[in-house]
């Protein structure tokens, strides 16, 4: 009898250890979002990336997320709570989460962190972003070709390098095909606030803009343009195709899924290390949404050719000659911008020549 009890105890222990091993094989992945998952733009696309992780790994992963987390102290609390809850890997998906991510990572050295669009790394913090400015080049080209008023409106979120790069890239490519074009920029100081975004779009339209670009995340500018009529827009972060073929004539689409899957796999394999990733159209992290039939066929073909040359690396969106706003030289003829350094794209804090107004401090 004692022998049978011993066998049963051993079997129970074996089953317990097997169950523990199975539990240990489950990787917990967390996501911190700045907007609601239904924003139709930035956060929506990150959420699609999370869902892709679930679909790819099945029961090997457990994912959790928290939406509409303000940047700052609230973010630090949310990230801390996620780490305390046992997350192995946490993606923090907004620029303003940079310092909170670094602070929390220092307290949880065994947790891996991935911060979107920032520039501060640590042994357990990677950074990743997309070359959205490549998509802005295509949008600027179409905008410059299609504007009739020669006034292009731009709804900007915050004066950080990512947003400034986008404004410059769109302006450069609009100006090259339409020397008479003028940009009017409204700083909304929000990533997602439909009321503010709608007000900004309406104000730009009232100032004569017949094209409105946005670096904010809701579809409110699309709705405002649709109501005004004869105003062209572009989807931001997601396709926003419900507003096609007019006013939305194309879009920038953020595709985070391959990166999220790869980085989760690295944690599972034990091969994760801190890296800096900055990919664009060529790598598939930035997509150009279908250009609608509202765009003339020749303009569409030229825009697609521009997209393809950016993807192949044959052409760089920031190719000289280009001056800074004050007229001082930036890039000589044929010279392309570097990613880093005093005048590099990663730290861009100036407008190019021809843009009006000042960048807020």
């Amino acid at each position: 009898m004692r022998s049978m009890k011993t066998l049963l105890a051993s079997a129970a222990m074996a089953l317990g250890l097997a169950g523990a091993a199975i539990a240990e094989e489950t990787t917990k992945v967390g996501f911190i979002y700045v907007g609601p998952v239904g924003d139709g733009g930035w956060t929506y696309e990150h959420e699609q990336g999370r869902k892709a992780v679930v679909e790819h790994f099945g029961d090997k992963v457990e994912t959790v997320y928290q939406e509409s987390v303000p940047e700052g102290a609230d973010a630090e609390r949310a990230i801390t709570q996620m780490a305390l809850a046992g997350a192995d890997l946490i993606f923090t998906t907004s620029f303003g989460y940079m310092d909170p991510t670094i602070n929390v990572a220092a307290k949880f050295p065994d947790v891996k962190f991935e911060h979107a669009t920032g520039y501060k790394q640590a042994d357990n913090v990677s950074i990743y972003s997309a070359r959205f400015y490549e998509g802005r080049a295509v949008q600027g080209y179409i905008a410059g070709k299609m504007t009739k008023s020669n006034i292009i409106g731009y709804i900007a979120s915050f004066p950080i390098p990512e947003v400034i790069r986008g404004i410059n890239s769109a302006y450069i490519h609009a100006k090259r095909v339409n020397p008479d074009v003028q940009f009017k920029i409204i700083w909304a100081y929000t990533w997602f606030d439909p009321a503010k975004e709608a007000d900004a779009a309406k104000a730009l339209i009232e100032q004569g803009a017949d094209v409105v670009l946005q670096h904010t995340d809701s579809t409110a500018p699309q709705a405002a343009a649709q109501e005004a009529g004869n105003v062209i827009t572009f989807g931001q972060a997601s396709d926003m195709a419900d507003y096609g073929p007019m006013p939305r004539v194309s879009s920038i689409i953020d595709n985070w899924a391959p990166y999220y899957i790869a980085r989760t796999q690295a944690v599972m394999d034990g091969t994760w290390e801190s890296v800096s990733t900055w990919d664009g159209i060529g790598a598939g992290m930035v997509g150009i949404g279908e250009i609608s039939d509202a765009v003339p066929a020749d303009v569409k073909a030229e825009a697609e050719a521009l997209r393809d040359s950016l993807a192949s690396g044959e052409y760089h969106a920031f190719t000289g000659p280009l001056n800074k706003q004050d007229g001082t030289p930036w890039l000589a003829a044929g010279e392309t911008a570097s990613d880093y350094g005093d005048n590099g794209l990663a730290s861009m804090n100036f407008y190019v020549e021809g843009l009006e107004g000042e960048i807020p401090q």
Side-chain angles (χ1 to χ4, degrees):
M1 178 66 75
R2 183 177 296 173
S3 176
M4 180 62 73
K5 286 181 178 178
T6 301
L7 287 171
L8 289 172
S10 299
M13 183 177 294
L15 286 171
L17 290 171
I22 291 171
E24 287 172 5
E25 289 175 4
T26 301
T27 300
K28 189 169 185 178
V29 185
F31 297 81
I32 302 290
Y33 298 145
V34 73
V37 294
D39 69 355
W42 177 260
T43 293
Y44 171 83
E45 286 297 336
H46 284 284
E47 173 66 358
Q48 300 315 299
R50 183 194 67 80
K51 290 179 178 177
V53 169
V54 173
E55 182 177 354
H56 183 85
F57 291 107
D59 59 8
K60 291 182 179 179
V61 297
E62 175 191 353
T63 65
V64 293
Y65 70 85
Q66 187 168 343
E67 58 187 326
S68 301
V69 177
E71 295 169 320
D74 288 335
E76 188 159 335
R77 285 191 289 271
I79 300 166
T80 299
Q81 187 60 43
M82 200 166 277
L84 287 170
D88 301 294
L89 172 64
I90 300 175
F91 293 95
T92 59
T93 64
S94 191
F95 180 83
Y97 296 158
M98 181 168 61
D99 287 337
T101 300
I102 292 293
N103 294 342
V104 177
K107 300 172 186 175
F108 295 89
D110 295 330
V111 179
K112 312 303 183 188
F113 295 84
E114 299 267 350
H115 177 240
T117 73
Y119 54 84
K120 293 183 179 180
Q121 284 181 254
D123 288 344
N124 60 332
V125 181
S126 283
I127 54 176
Y128 65 102
S129 189
R131 295 182 184 272
F132 306 115
Y133 66 82
E134 293 182 345
R136 305 284 177 201
V138 177
Q139 291 185 348
Y141 181 91
I142 296 172
K145 283 282 192 176
M146 292 193 68
T147 179
K148 294 181 173 60
S149 67
N150 292 327
I151 298 175
I152 295 172
Y154 204 112
I155 305 172
S157 47
F158 295 96
I160 61 175
E162 174 195 334
V163 179
I164 296 166
R165 285 193 300 268
I167 294 169
N168 283 332
S169 181
Y171 178 77
I172 288 165
H173 292 85
K175 191 76 170 178
R176 284 180 180 171
V177 296
N178 182 351
D180 297 324
V181 80
Q182 177 186 5
F183 268 39
K184 293 186 180 293
I185 302 164
I186 290 180
W187 291 93
Y189 292 98
T190 184
W191 293 113
F192 178 82
D193 187 324
K196 279 187 177 180
E197 294 174 66
D199 287 345
K202 291 173 183 176
L204 290 167
I205 293 167
E206 288 172 0
Q207 293 176 54
D210 60 356
V211 180
V212 174
L213 304 177
Q214 65 181 95
H215 202 139
T216 52
D217 300 336
S218 86
T219 58
Q222 312 289 325
Q226 189 174 62
E227 182 180 350
N230 298 315
V231 176
I232 295 165
T233 61
F234 296 84
Q236 156 66 14
S238 70
D239 205 21
M240 300 185 179
D242 289 348
Y243 289 90
M246 275 285 288
R248 172 257 176 236
V249 297
S250 186
S251 57
I252 294 175
I253 302 172
D254 306 342
N255 181 19
W256 303 112
Y259 184 80
Y260 287 167
I261 290 169
R263 299 305 282 165
T264 301
Q265 185 68 63
V267 169
M268 290 178 170
D269 295 342
T271 59
W272 188 98
E273 59 182 14
S274 178
V275 298
S276 174
T277 301
W278 198 5
D279 286 336
I281 295 174
M285 193 174 272
V286 176
I288 303 299
E290 182 179 1
I291 300 172
S292 81
D293 291 339
V295 179
D298 60 334
V299 176
K300 179 177 179 178
E302 292 161 3
E304 290 174 339
L306 174 59
R307 173 201 64 197
D308 293 346
S309 66
L310 287 161
S312 69
E314 177 185 353
Y315 172 69
H316 193 291
F318 290 100
T319 300
L322 288 170
N323 294 335
K324 294 184 178 181
Q325 188 183 43
D326 62 5
T328 58
W330 176 37
L331 298 173
E335 183 183 6
T336 59
S338 62
D339 285 348
Y340 303 102
D342 291 342
N343 286 323
L345 297 178
S347 57
M348 181 173 275
N349 61 357
F350 59 86
Y351 283 149
V352 294
E353 189 174 40
L355 278 166
E356 300 175 1
E358 295 182 356
I359 299 173
Q361 299 301 313

